[in-house]
Amino acid sequence: MIKFFRKIRYNLMEQNKTGKYLKYAIGEIVLVMIGILLALQVNNWNSNRIEQETITNYYERIIIELDEEIVKANLRKKDIDTLIVMNRRALNILNSKNIDSLNTLKTLLGATATNWTEQYSFPITNEFINQDYLAKIKNDSLKMTFKIFSGFLEYVEQINEVNNVQYQNAIEPFFIKNINYSQTALKKYRNDLIQGGPKTDLELLFDNLEIWNIITFKLELLNIESEVSYSAIYIFESHKSMIKNELNKK
């Protein structure tokens, strides 16, 4: 009988030890899981911190890039507006048929025979977009300015294409057949050219419908390009301001 009770007491002690072991094991598992979760959280936090630092660095470089292109856009608008004035004067001389203004007309025709396209360069911004950092921007307004910015640059390329087609298909062919370009080129180009060859009978241009339309179409496109340059300045400035505001929040 004594042996029987001893056996029962022994079994109860063993069950108690097993219960304590299970509790210890479960506690260890919980601690390990908490450790893993904390490690993941720290890793995520560190990754987010590095990502935000990278985005901030991009913002700072994009602002520098925008400043450079704003200067370029302002210079571009001045050049375009100068060409507009020259083409208007050329049309007025053709319209008046004033023989005394033929020498002036010769100096103005170079403004028609130009092909200055919009040349904006944004390698840092393109890199930022191509690496899909737009999806990381939490500010919806800033994200929208990036989209407007990209859409505007696509529009600029379309205007450049129109400019190239107009020059290649209409302006250059007419000058090749009817006008001695070396004598009518803009001064900054003329000095590097060889002066000579047949002289242009500019008086014949008074009744030439083709040159009238060529200059008119050129003037029309220049007016559009002037607006594009103005838009470039506005969009670049607005974009820069939005990025600066975002940096100030950090």
Side-chain angles (χ1 to χ4, degrees):
M1 180 65 70
I2 293 174
K3 289 183 179 180
F4 174 75
F5 282 113
R6 282 180 179 174
K7 187 174 182 180
I8 292 175
R9 187 166 64 243
Y10 176 79
N11 289 337
L12 289 173
M13 290 176 64
E14 287 299 315
Q15 288 177 8
N16 190 41
K17 287 182 180 179
T18 302
K20 287 183 178 179
Y21 176 77
L22 286 173
K23 288 180 181 179
Y24 175 79
I26 291 172
E28 286 291 314
I29 292 171
V30 170
L31 288 174
V32 170
M33 290 180 65
I34 292 173
I36 292 172
L37 290 173
L38 285 173
L40 289 173
Q41 185 64 30
V42 170
N43 184 61
N44 288 337
W45 177 84
N46 193 48
S47 297
N48 289 333
R49 180 183 60 80
I50 293 172
E51 184 176 78
Q52 288 305 311
E53 287 178 354
T54 301
I55 291 174
T56 296
N57 180 262
Y58 266 115
Y59 285 164
E60 291 169 348
R61 289 190 292 159
I62 288 172
I63 287 174
I64 295 173
E65 195 171 63
L66 283 165
D67 281 334
E68 293 173 351
E69 297 308 305
I70 287 168
V71 171
K72 189 184 296 183
N74 276 291
L75 292 174
R76 166 72 177 172
K77 189 171 189 316
K78 284 184 179 180
D79 288 340
I80 293 299
D81 289 344
T82 298
L83 293 181
I84 287 174
V85 171
M86 293 178 72
N87 277 277
R88 285 184 179 277
R89 288 183 65 194
L91 285 173
N92 285 329
I93 291 173
L94 290 175
N95 194 43
S96 67
K97 298 183 179 180
N98 186 351
I99 296 176
D100 294 334
S101 299
L102 287 178
N103 283 332
T104 301
L105 177 63
K106 183 169 68 173
T107 64
L108 296 173
L109 288 174
T112 302
T114 58
N115 185 28
W116 296 346
T117 54
E118 303 275 344
Q119 299 293 333
Y120 300 118
S121 178
F122 291 97
I124 304 301
T125 303
N126 290 333
E127 183 179 304
F128 179 83
I129 293 173
N130 292 336
Q131 293 193 22
D132 202 30
Y133 279 116
L134 283 183
K136 309 294 183 180
I137 298 177
K138 297 177 182 179
N139 186 329
D140 290 337
S141 296
L142 178 57
K143 190 179 295 186
M144 181 58 68
T145 63
F146 268 101
K147 292 180 180 179
I148 292 172
F149 175 85
S150 298
F152 173 74
L153 292 182
E154 290 178 5
Y155 175 66
V156 167
E157 287 304 313
Q158 293 175 12
I159 295 297
N160 285 342
E161 182 63 24
V162 172
N163 198 330
N164 288 330
V165 170
Q166 183 188 76
Y167 183 80
Q168 294 170 6
N169 293 353
I171 297 174
E172 191 175 57
F174 181 85
F175 270 74
I176 289 173
K177 292 181 180 179
N178 300 282
I179 297 175
N180 186 325
Y181 175 71
S182 64
Q183 296 172 358
T184 58
L186 292 176
K187 186 176 180 180
K188 64 179 181 178
Y189 300 134
R190 194 187 318 140
N191 293 335
D192 294 325
L193 302 177
I194 303 299
Q195 296 300 312
K199 292 184 178 181
T200 304
D201 189 348
L202 295 174
E203 193 173 346
L204 294 177
L205 299 180
F206 286 152
D207 296 312
N208 190 306
L209 181 60
E210 188 173 1
I211 188 61
W212 176 267
N213 282 329
I214 283 174
I215 299 177
T216 299
F217 284 131
K218 180 67 175 181
L219 178 60
E220 180 182 52
L221 185 56
L222 285 170
N223 286 330
I224 294 173
E225 289 183 278
S226 179
E227 289 298 320
V228 169
S229 295
Y230 177 81
S231 296
I233 297 167
Y234 176 79
I235 290 172
F236 296 168
E237 288 281 9
S238 299
H239 192 42
K240 183 180 78 170
S241 178
M242 287 292 295
I243 294 174
K244 277 190 170 182
N245 288 339
E246 189 67 15
L247 283 174
N248 289 336
K249 294 178 184 178
K250 296 183 180 296

